[in-house]
Amino acid sequence: MRHILSLLMENEAGALSRVAGLFSARAFNIESLTVAPTEDPKISRMTIVTSGSDAIIEQIMKQVNKLVDVVKVVDLNDTRHIERELMLIKVAAKKTDRAEIKRMVDVFRGRIIDVTENSFTIEMTGTGEKLDAFIQALDERLILEVVRSGVSGIARGDKAIHS
Amino acid sequence: MAKKKEILRGAEIFCRALKDEGIKHLFGYPGGAVLHIYDELYKQDAVEHILVRHEQGATHAADGYARATGKPGVVLVTSGPGATNAVTGIATAYLDSIPLVVFTGQVSTHMIGNDAFQEVDSIGITRPCVKHNFLVKDVKDLATTIKKAFYVATSGRPGPVVVDIPKDVTADSCEYEYPDKVDISSYKPVVKGHPGQIKRAAELILSAKKPMIYSGGGVILGEASKELTQFTKLLGYPITNTLMGLGAFPATHKQFVGMLGMHGTYEANMAMHHCDVLIAIGARFDDRVTGDLEKFCPYAKIVHIDVDPSSISKNVPVDIPIVGDVKHVLKDLLAILKSDGGQKPDAKALKAWWKQVDEWRALDCLKFDRDTEVIKPQYVVEKLWELTKGDAFVTSDVGQHQMWAAQFYKFDKPRRWINSGGLGTMGFGVPAAMGVKLAYPDETVACISGEASLVMCIQELSTCLQYNTNIKILSLNNRYMGMVRQWQEFFYSSRYSHSYMEALPDFVKMAESYGHVGMRIEKSSDVEGALKEALALKDRTVLMDFVTDQTENVYPMIASGKGHHEMHLSSDKDRELA
């Protein structure tokens, strides 16, 4: 089953490689991994999307927790949560296609953030599924380039990860 | 008035920090990146530096020292090849959770990443086989980082920690202050077990009809042998130890049923298979212990006490996990078991269970042929045990001799048996024995080895001479890589692919050329005399080359993928009970 793990870690050099190395050394899956500093510059927050049986997820949680740099790890699947991913996608946009693409971007609540004579660059956020759906909806031949951030997740409600 | 802090160079800080940490021995090998440090080592005498002959030897020696004393082993090597040579020893310590602090020199900070001379990414290379590692980029962080390294290495589930120190950091200066303690907000090892879980565990333990205690290296690392022994005697239950746990409970005590697992005793493995409550203490359900997980302890409810939460339910799901320091948890359990009016073990059921266990024991699964002039390796170990009254420190290398040492040397005390159980590192025995002897110069330290393992770190015989670490090496020389040969005999139709040791050196001359005593023993009747003679040579290192039975195999044996009840007891079909 797919799980979203959220973790806080000391913002030390090499901390990311410890987590990534742990996943590869123990043959755990990583679907996506994002990391950036938090409001406290000494702490980074990482969101990892992984998959596995309950026993494997339990091992992943324990092994990640065991890393000396890791302050806290939570499995967002245990609570109601929100996940979002950012995608930037560059498409060929000749005069004849422009209106159709613009309409599609509006339907998916994206934004066109860069325009040239021949292309649009579109910004879109949402769940991974929504971004997949947008890609599916476009004419494959028009897609020039896709970049996705991987999932960021946060629990719903007023409870914070620190508490 | 506050004392004015001294301004010291990084290299001085290094030496002072070791001194302030109470470190007495440092195992190392110099090189370019650590020359500032070596210059400071020259000027002080608080820390004795032991010059090894290969960095692998440094890590194994420090490891042996740590296993025997419980104190951290400390290593200093240079950058590049110094660091990579140390990796095998670091991984060895990692797999057995041994506290080591390994300092690796590094090229200067401005050179890092430039493929400089003797540069490797030591942090990257060691990351998967350390508990933690640090790169010190600023001399101001050096003292605190050293303190953190010792704290992380020795607390919780211990393990090796690498500190990579660039050369310019050892030349820079700052105020020196060695902290009394450090706080790492992201690292808080659990000590006390959960009281509710401990209570539930006590109830399950007392309800057992066919109980079994299975304890591992964690009991020794956690200094909990005394508590384990009290706990086991109080309950009257049978106990087995893992390879790493030997000596945690006295092997000569009647409740001890021997080691378990692949080469464990019949009684230990059968008791594991048939028990209804398994009490696992500081053990990690290693594959060499469990055999086929599908067939593991099929009738048992399992209690598991371990300081590392990730050990719990990793391989085998357990019913009552207790995360905590084994010593504390055993104390808490003992308090419940001793409380007045509490439940007591089921004496009637226990009597019936012991009757069964003793029947298994009566099979005498460790029997070997004693009526032969060809030297049986088991006999050599048994004689060593007798002559040292079971009180020597015994290190080993890896293979058949290691298993015979574990089976036939009955360890009554913890920290006496020193072997590479997890990683299985050939070449461990001699340098480890050297480390033990430095810690305990007045004790008998024996290294049980084989001719294949022995030559893997033979260069340390020079170190033994230089530092007068007089160890007794028993090489069980069967002219084969014995364990490889055994597997090839069983599973590869006796095709002995590259397991025969051709062109062996003359070990007697080799010992002599290193300045030690060499002996070659070829007959069973000469074994005792030779051992007595060697043990009497207190101020000499002795290499005993025992020419042993070439085709002797280690029994009992559970083949990979089999269960505890599916043992081979000997090559003799009559004894096939499986």
Side-chain angles (χ1 to χ4, degrees):
Chain A
M1 194 186 158
R2 177 176 178 270
H3 285 250
I4 305 174
L5 311 183
S6 202
L7 59 119
L8 296 176
M9 56 201 297
E10 299 283 342
N11 194 6
E12 299 276 349
L16 169 61
S17 68
R18 282 182 217 284
V19 176
L22 170 70
F23 272 72
S24 64
R26 293 193 181 266
F28 300 144
N29 291 315
I30 299 185
E31 273 177 34
S32 74
L33 184 157
T34 68
V35 61
T38 60
E39 74 282 8
D40 176 353
K42 293 200 292 293
I43 301 287
S44 283
R45 179 154 177 171
M46 188 182 280
T47 308
I48 301 171
V49 179
T50 183
S51 60
S53 64
D54 289 351
I56 288 175
I57 299 298
E58 186 184 328
Q59 258 306 301
I60 293 175
M61 296 285 287
K62 286 172 170 177
Q63 293 289 350
V64 169
N65 230 335
K66 203 165 120 176
L67 293 172
V68 169
D69 287 336
V70 170
V71 179
K72 185 153 192 185
V73 52
V74 295
D75 182 352
L76 288 179
N77 285 38
D78 292 344
T79 52
R80 293 187 309 120
H81 62 275
I82 302 159
E83 61 171 284
R84 288 291 181 272
E85 186 174 355
L86 167 70
M87 174 168 72
L88 301 176
I89 177 165
K90 193 176 282 183
V91 296
K94 296 216 178 71
K95 278 212 170 80
T96 49
D97 295 325
R98 288 194 171 222
E100 173 59 19
I101 295 170
K102 174 76 173 72
R103 227 181 355 259
M104 196 72 84
V105 170
D106 290 342
V107 169
F108 279 84
R109 299 177 189 222
R111 294 197 301 153
I112 295 169
I113 54 173
D114 188 48
V115 178
T116 71
E117 242 174 86
N118 299 314
S119 72
F120 283 160
T121 298
I122 303 154
E123 170 197 313
M124 191 171 289
T125 59
T127 62
E129 277 175 11
K130 173 185 155 182
L131 304 185
D132 291 343
F134 180 70
I135 292 171
Q136 293 286 316
L138 285 174
D139 181 343
E140 196 181 344
R141 288 166 302 180
L142 298 180
I143 299 174
L144 299 174
E145 193 180 343
V146 174
V147 55
R148 296 171 66 152
S149 65
V151 170
S152 288
I154 198 162
R156 284 191 183 273
D158 49 15
K159 203 172 161 225
I161 190 168
H162 313 281
S163 53
Chain B
M1 195 178 89
K3 203 174 145 196
K4 197 159 176 266
K5 287 176 194 155
E6 292 171 88
I7 306 284
L8 300 180
R9 290 167 76 218
E12 291 173 88
I13 289 174
F14 175 88
C15 295
R16 283 283 292 276
L18 291 194
K19 183 184 169 207
D20 290 348
E21 186 63 34
I23 301 305
K24 297 274 181 278
H25 295 97
L26 170 66
F27 300 87
Y29 202 100
V34 285
L35 280 178
H36 296 322
I37 294 178
Y38 270 85
D39 193 45
E40 287 304 323
L41 284 170
Y42 187 82
K43 300 174 193 163
Q44 57 84 52
D45 55 8
V47 182
E48 187 188 2
H49 178 271
I50 311 299
L51 175 68
V52 294
R53 298 303 188 267
H54 186 290
E55 290 87 348
Q56 184 184 349
T59 42
H60 290 332
D63 182 322
Y65 182 94
R67 290 180 204 235
T69 60
K71 295 178 198 153
V74 191
V75 174
L76 171 64
V77 297
T78 193
S79 62
T84 56
N85 279 345
V87 168
T88 300
I90 295 168
T92 303
Y94 182 63
L95 265 276
D96 290 341
S97 307
I98 304 303
L100 289 191
V101 176
V102 179
F103 296 96
T104 52
Q106 184 54 276
V107 300
S108 288
T109 46
H110 67 277
M111 312 265 284
I112 289 178
N114 280 350
D115 302 322
F117 177 64
Q118 293 197 325
E119 180 187 359
V120 290
D121 175 10
S122 302
I123 293 295
I125 285 175
T126 59
R127 197 196 61 232
C129 60
V130 292
K131 183 170 172 185
H132 196 59
N133 56 21
F134 299 93
L135 170 64
V136 184
K137 286 187 192 154
D138 187 326
V139 70
K140 291 192 198 74
D141 299 329
L142 183 58
T144 309
T145 306
I146 292 174
K147 185 73 199 177
K148 280 184 184 172
F150 280 103
Y151 171 57
V152 171
T154 53
S155 55
R157 180 178 179 173
V161 173
V162 165
V163 183
D164 201 25
I165 310 177
K167 190 169 185 179
D168 54 337
V169 171
T170 64
D172 294 346
S173 303
C174 73
E175 282 188 348
Y176 173 70
E177 185 181 14
Y178 196 63
D180 290 334
K181 57 179 185 180
V182 280
D183 181 62
I184 304 174
S185 61
S186 55
Y187 174 74
K188 304 277 178 214
V190 182
V191 177
K192 294 288 278 181
H194 188 279
Q197 289 292 87
I198 293 174
K199 198 159 162 281
R200 281 179 61 212
E203 283 163 14
L204 179 64
I205 290 167
L206 288 167
S207 74
K209 307 278 182 218
K210 299 176 179 182
M212 183 68 177
I213 301 170
Y214 145 57
S215 87
V219 174
I220 293 171
L221 295 167
E223 304 286 2
S225 290
K226 199 179 93 190
E227 289 75 13
L228 174 74
T229 306
Q230 277 180 14
F231 174 79
T232 306
K233 288 183 179 171
L234 186 69
L235 288 166
Y237 293 176
I239 178 168
T240 179
N241 287 164
T242 68
L243 179 68
M244 293 308 299
L246 294 173
F249 184 85
T252 52
H253 191 276
K254 62 181 188 307
Q255 280 170 257
F256 186 66
V257 296
M259 182 173 75
L260 82 166
M262 183 172 274
H263 293 298
T265 64
Y266 185 67
E267 51 271 34
N269 285 333
M270 290 301 274
M272 288 292 288
H273 186 75
H274 291 280
C275 71
D276 68 346
V277 172
L278 180 68
I279 307 150
I281 308 173
R284 63 183 176 91
F285 297 84
D286 174 77
D287 57 278
R288 286 294 194 267
V289 157
T290 60
D292 183 0
L293 289 172
E294 297 292 319
K295 298 172 188 165
F296 179 77
C297 294
Y299 315 111
K301 291 250 188 228
I302 304 177
V303 176
H304 186 191
I305 306 166
D306 205 291
V307 72
D308 178 1
S310 74
S311 277
I312 287 173
S313 295
K314 184 175 72 177
N315 299 331
V316 173
V318 301
D319 300 281
I320 304 182
I322 303 171
V323 176
D325 180 272
V326 285
K327 193 181 180 82
H328 279 87
V329 174
L330 282 171
K331 274 187 179 167
D332 290 349
L333 273 170
L334 274 166
I336 296 178
L337 297 178
K338 283 180 180 167
S339 62
D340 295 334
Q343 199 187 335
K344 298 290 165 216
D346 182 340
K348 204 175 141 201
L350 195 56
K351 202 177 162 197
W353 176 231
W354 268 115
K355 188 165 169 278
Q356 172 66 78
V357 172
D358 285 336
E359 275 172 30
W360 290 324
R361 178 138 63 182
L363 204 75
D364 193 11
C365 67
L366 296 179
K367 196 155 66 179
F368 64 92
D369 183 6
R370 291 166 188 279
D371 302 320
T372 162
E373 261 305 51
V374 180
I375 300 176
K376 290 287 180 182
Q378 301 95 322
Y379 176 71
V380 178
V381 178
E382 196 179 77
K383 273 290 154 211
L384 177 72
W385 173 69
E386 277 175 32
L387 293 172
T388 54
K389 301 184 175 62
D391 205 26
F393 285 84
V394 178
T395 73
S396 91
D397 278 296
V398 171
Q400 285 185 320
H401 67 267
Q402 178 189 26
M403 293 299 111
W404 286 316
Q407 290 174 336
F408 289 89
Y409 199 102
K410 301 185 190 73
F411 294 93
D412 282 337
K413 293 180 189 168
R415 300 197 178 279
R416 287 292 199 272
W417 167 234
I418 285 153
N419 84 127
S420 166
L423 195 68
T425 309
M426 291 168 72
F428 176 80
V430 168
M434 205 168 79
V436 178
K437 188 71 185 179
L438 275 161
Y440 298 111
D442 300 327
E443 302 281 341
T444 301
V445 181
C447 165
I448 297 177
S449 187
E451 82 288 355
S453 286
L454 180 60
V455 295
M456 278 211 187
C457 270
I458 196 72
Q459 75 285 346
E460 298 310 328
L461 286 181
S462 285
T463 315
C464 288
L465 185 71
Q466 184 171 347
Y467 297 94
N468 214 20
T469 54
N470 301 310
I471 59 172
K472 307 293 177 258
I473 302 165
L474 288 72
S475 174
L476 305 177
N477 179 355
N478 62 357
R479 286 83 72 211
Y480 275 114
M481 292 160 210
M483 192 59 92
V484 172
R485 194 208 61 82
Q486 177 168 342
W487 281 57
Q488 288 172 336
E489 180 188 330
F490 291 178
F491 310 118
Y492 299 89
S493 308
S494 298
R495 288 186 298 280
Y496 298 131
S497 179
H498 302 275
S499 56
Y500 185 67
M501 299 295 286
E502 279 182 278
L504 284 170
D506 179 331
F507 285 103
V508 174
K509 283 187 186 158
M510 184 162 77
E512 287 168 358
S513 77
Y514 276 106
H516 303 308
V517 177
M519 295 178 179
R520 185 172 168 89
I521 305 98
E522 296 176 315
K523 289 194 309 229
S524 238
S525 50
D526 292 338
V527 168
E528 186 166 351
L531 278 171
K532 278 183 178 162
E533 191 187 331
L535 290 168
L537 290 168
K538 295 234 175 276
D539 56 351
R540 300 298 296 274
T541 287
V542 183
L543 197 171
M544 285 163 274
D545 184 24
F546 291 98
V547 181
T548 59
D549 187 345
Q550 236 180 333
T551 55
E552 188 67 25
N553 288 325
V554 181
Y555 291 108
M557 177 168 181
I558 303 171
S560 300
K562 299 285 184 181
H564 279 151
H565 58 307
E566 299 171 301
M567 268 165 285
H568 294 273
L569 289 181
S570 82
S571 55
D572 181 354
K573 288 280 178 250
D574 297 342
R575 301 203 77 203
E576 281 295 341
L577 291 191

